[in-house]
Amino acid sequence: AKLERLPPVSSADPQSEVFLATGGGSAKVVHVRSVSHSRLGFQPSSNSWVSRLEALLLAVVHEMECARLSPKAAGSEGRMFLHLTSLAEIAATDLFQLLQSFVVEFVARHGALLQALWLDEITLKVRLANLGSEVDGCQGVLRFVATSGAGEYMKCHGWLEEVDPLSGSPVAWRDLSTGQTEGAAATVAETAEAQRRQRRQTARRAGSTYAPEFLGLLEVALVKDWANFSRKRQCSVPKELLVASELKLSSGELQESDRKHDISSSD
């Protein structure tokens, strides 16, 4: 594997860094990393932070769009990372729900551009303030990831990072949904993700879409339509817009699977 730093193009965003990662074969990924020190003030009762966060993400998307003009980045996938250093005075689970709703609508609104850039992962890293404590400072870091790496299109995940007090580097992540802690070693998961990435690239080069992403793309279209409808009628968007079940052929008959289907295992 090789990591090469590319010069950022946009003069309006000096906080961005662009890297081109090349692996075995023709696998290439453009990574755009940006940082913001602005205080967004994540509050469920206010939407003032929404337009500001959207502008920050679009600046990162613009850097990726410019980076893909380089012949070196031809045929590469995209991943963007935004680090928000200002403390967020909100619980981790509440912040995850806010970011999940925001990213779903962001992907729906700018879906055509994101798909044209082959952007498969959005990572937001937010420092959390000490709530209900007399001690000021950061009590944890929320790592929010919307990724197609597991097969589904832009599936949202949230982790709380555990940091090494000596090095300052993250050493473990606690899943907000399951409570399980994952270490830094994830070779099996990385191997499976590399296989899915290869399948996705094969489909894209053929001018097609990676089949496991169809459900996610359909959900994005529904979110976009509902968002437009809700703005006109001043109503809320339903939390669950799409429900899917796995059907298996057994003894010549189609039967609904009684377990949650891992879409990434599909061939």
Side-chain angles (χ1 to χ4, degrees):
K2 178 183 176 182
L3 189 65
E4 177 183 357
R5 185 168 183 173
L6 302 178
V9 176
S10 175
S11 59
D13 186 17
Q15 305 291 349
S16 291
E17 296 176 313
V18 184
F19 299 92
L20 176 63
T22 55
S26 58
K28 293 187 290 185
V29 180
V30 172
H31 297 265
V32 181
R33 179 188 180 277
S34 187
V35 60
S36 173
H37 308 299
S38 300
R39 183 180 178 86
L40 296 184
F42 294 101
Q43 294 297 331
S45 58
S46 173
N47 289 328
S48 61
W49 58 272
V50 173
S51 58
R52 297 166 64 190
L53 180 56
E54 182 176 23
L56 290 173
L57 286 179
L58 287 177
V60 183
V61 171
H62 175 65
E63 280 291 351
M64 181 167 296
E65 191 174 15
C66 294
R68 282 178 56 86
L69 296 176
S70 170
K72 296 180 179 181
S76 61
E77 296 180 353
R79 296 183 182 181
M80 53 189 287
F81 177 93
L82 176 61
H83 187 185
L84 303 175
T85 60
S86 181
L87 293 176
E89 297 180 354
I90 185 173
T93 53
D94 294 337
L95 180 56
F96 172 80
Q97 293 176 359
L98 285 181
L99 292 177
Q100 184 178 32
S101 299
F102 166 82
V103 168
V104 167
E105 290 199 22
F106 179 85
V107 171
R109 187 178 298 113
H110 306 287
L113 175 59
L114 301 184
Q115 292 171 44
L117 294 175
W118 293 7
L119 196 150
D120 295 325
E121 188 168 289
I122 300 174
T123 300
L124 299 174
K125 192 171 178 179
V126 187
R127 299 169 70 237
L128 303 173
N130 261 325
L131 296 178
S133 174
E134 297 180 355
V135 181
D136 295 331
C138 178
Q139 64 91 13
V141 177
L142 173 66
R143 190 180 188 91
F144 176 92
V145 180
T147 178
S148 302
E152 298 181 60
Y153 184 70
M154 288 300 180
K155 182 72 173 179
C156 297
H157 304 274
W159 292 274
L160 280 178
E161 287 189 353
E162 295 182 10
V163 179
D164 186 333
L166 297 180
S167 65
S169 301
V171 293
W173 296 264
R174 181 168 64 84
D175 194 316
L176 287 179
S177 60
T178 64
Q180 296 180 347
T181 300
E182 303 175 4
T187 54
V188 176
E190 290 174 358
T191 301
E193 182 178 349
Q195 294 174 349
R196 289 190 292 268
R197 186 184 303 121
Q198 184 63 40
R199 295 173 184 173
R200 188 183 297 111
Q201 287 183 343
T202 300
R204 284 170 170 169
R205 290 194 179 99
S208 184
T209 302
Y210 184 44
E213 294 184 349
F214 273 115
L215 287 177
L217 293 172
L218 179 59
E219 185 175 13
V220 165
L222 289 173
V223 169
K224 185 176 182 179
D225 289 342
W226 264 99
N228 293 333
F229 178 81
S230 64
R231 280 193 291 268
K232 296 177 182 178
R233 301 295 182 89
Q234 294 184 351
C235 60
S236 59
V237 178
K239 292 184 178 180
E240 192 173 47
L241 292 175
L242 181 66
V243 178
S245 299
E246 177 189 12
L247 298 178
K248 288 189 172 182
L249 187 63
S250 178
S251 301
E253 296 182 356
L254 284 176
Q255 297 180 354
E256 184 175 347
S257 175
D258 57 355
R259 67 178 179 86
K260 184 177 181 181
H261 177 48
D262 180 8
I263 197 169
S264 63
S265 64
S266 299
D267 295 326

